[in-house]
Amino acid sequence: MTAPAVGPAAIPGSALPPEHPQVQVGRVGVLLVNLGSPDSAEPGDVKRFLGEFLSDPRVIEIPQVIWQPILRLLVLNLRPRTTAQNYAKIWTPEGSPITAITRGQAEALKGRFGPKVVVDWAMRYGTRSIPEQLKALMDAGCDRILTVPLYPQYSSATNGTVVDAANGALAGWRWQPTMRTLPPYYDNPDHIAALAASVREGLAGLDFTPDLIVTSFHGMPQRTLDKGDPYHCQCRKTGRLLAEELGLPVRVTFQSRFGRAEWLKPYTDATLEGLAGEGIRKIAVVCPGFAADCLETLEEVAMEGRETFMEHGGTHFAYLPCLNTSETGIAMLERLIARALAGWV
């Protein structure tokens, strides 16, 4: 589809000068953005990915003059091999699950907002970068673009860095599109309803009744809360609203600790170790902070979490998938995006 031209030719009775640059305008872009993934489960690709990810000052809030030597000399020489082994456990013929799912979400949303709206996807780190895909949308005639960070709860290290990358790309452009960013949707009724419907569907397929629903959110250092990051409070609210919607006991926990600093509590692994001591031996775990299943949900929770729980007295464990490309999840994203496009479409 050819986007409408801009310039004198668009004005009745005028003609476009032959030397006028060829440009396109009139379309609206929607760019789904998730964290990203290595290109493969090989240690070299994992090392490159971690090098970019862990060099983001919003992710690691240690002065770079201190952090970079630690990262280059220690972390990137020790961590990639183990992380690559973990990626290998979840790798699929379509590549990394987070990549395949994010691509599938974008494909499922195409055509749902009318012929003038182009839906695309990008990753904050690794291949298919935000600057590349913003440029592709602009070249396709999108002079208005909505970025959609696929993080329900806001954090500086997730939503904040997506906005940084988008603004950084536009800083070097002569002609900048008009930009919007989808707000965090941690307490949006459509999101809570979709989560609850997904959990109910998952529970219906089990051969046992859980004593407890455990929600595992990605952790953040405690200092992020102390500095005013709203992430912890938004995770707590998602958990509370989900419990109210389900009418079931729900416990909020935080996973993926890194380093020696104190992180948000309670820790998922410590919680799984102690539940049997409370008489809780049957659980289902869901990760409402992730829009797509990934290394942290499929390997850390569904595999390692199961092992931890069962080794410490648990008898039944189920991991319930993220919303991913389910009909419920896509319908929820469609409603959120449609509202954010109001006035443009």
Side-chain angles (χ1 to χ4, degrees):
M1 181 185 297
T2 302
V6 68
I11 303 173
S14 65
L16 186 70
E19 69 279 7
H20 194 281
Q22 294 297 311
V23 293
Q24 297 186 92
V25 296
R27 286 179 172 177
V28 173
V30 173
L31 188 65
L32 307 187
V33 182
N34 215 320
L35 183 88
S37 167
D39 292 334
S40 77
E42 295 299 318
D45 284 337
V46 172
K47 182 175 182 177
R48 282 188 288 274
F49 175 75
L50 290 178
E52 180 185 1
F53 172 49
L54 297 177
S55 291
D56 189 333
R58 283 193 185 266
V59 174
I60 304 295
E61 296 186 61
I62 299 173
Q64 291 296 301
V65 67
I66 298 173
W67 171 241
Q68 281 300 318
I70 298 173
L71 176 65
R72 302 297 165 182
L73 296 176
L74 294 177
V75 177
L76 294 182
N77 286 318
L78 298 175
R79 191 172 180 183
R81 187 165 298 278
T82 300
T83 303
Q85 293 171 351
N86 291 337
Y87 269 111
K89 298 176 188 177
I90 65 164
W91 212 259
T92 74
E94 292 76 36
S96 175
I98 192 173
T99 301
I101 293 167
T102 305
R103 179 173 59 241
Q105 290 168 329
E107 290 293 331
L109 288 167
K110 287 182 177 178
R112 297 199 180 207
F113 309 104
K116 291 177 60 178
V117 179
V118 180
V119 180
D120 204 346
W121 61 282
M123 294 299 192
R124 175 60 185 89
Y125 311 102
T127 302
R128 204 173 179 91
S129 71
I130 293 172
E132 291 170 344
Q133 299 315 122
L134 286 176
K135 181 64 165 56
L137 287 172
M138 192 70 172
D139 289 345
C142 299
D143 51 15
R144 290 157 294 169
I145 299 175
L146 171 71
T147 58
V148 182
L150 292 172
Y151 307 107
Q153 298 81 23
Y154 177 93
S155 173
S156 170
T158 54
N159 307 61
T161 195
V162 167
V163 174
D164 284 351
N167 289 341
L170 269 58
W173 294 9
R174 176 171 296 278
W175 184 358
Q176 297 177 334
T178 300
M179 299 290 293
R180 290 180 181 173
T181 303
L182 184 76
Y185 50 96
Y186 63 98
D187 62 349
N188 186 286
D190 287 330
H191 181 233
I192 301 302
L195 286 175
S198 179
V199 170
R200 290 191 190 101
E201 181 180 355
L203 295 179
L206 301 181
D207 60 359
F208 69 94
T209 300
D211 302 318
L212 177 70
I213 307 296
V214 176
T215 60
S216 184
F217 295 85
H218 199 289
M220 295 287 173
Q222 173 65 31
R223 64 176 175 272
T224 62
L225 173 60
D226 297 339
K227 290 182 176 181
D229 198 300
Y231 178 76
H232 176 265
C233 299
Q234 293 184 2
C235 290
R236 287 286 188 181
K237 188 170 185 181
T238 299
R240 175 175 62 80
L241 293 176
L242 179 60
E244 292 173 358
E245 185 77 11
L246 290 171
L248 296 171
V250 172
R251 188 171 303 186
V252 172
T253 67
F254 297 90
Q255 65 182 83
S256 306
R257 280 179 290 167
F258 174 69
R260 298 180 179 180
E262 182 177 349
W263 281 47
L264 298 178
K265 294 180 179 178
Y267 300 140
T268 299
D269 54 1
T271 299
L272 295 178
E273 290 176 4
L275 286 176
E278 302 177 33
I280 298 171
R281 292 181 168 81
K282 301 177 183 180
I283 64 169
V285 184
V286 63
C287 295
F290 298 83
D293 274 307
C294 56
L295 182 70
E296 288 78 9
T297 65
L298 298 175
E299 195 279 330
E300 184 179 350
V301 173
M303 295 180 185
E304 290 186 16
R306 174 190 294 274
E307 184 177 343
T308 298
F309 181 66
M310 303 300 276
E311 286 180 350
H312 288 81
T315 60
H316 296 73
F317 178 102
Y319 172 68
L320 307 181
C322 297
L323 291 173
N324 295 333
T325 56
S326 64
E327 291 185 12
T328 300
I330 296 300
M332 181 269 296
L333 285 175
E334 180 182 358
R335 288 191 290 271
L336 295 181
I337 292 169
R339 283 196 289 270
L341 293 174
W344 283 0
V345 177

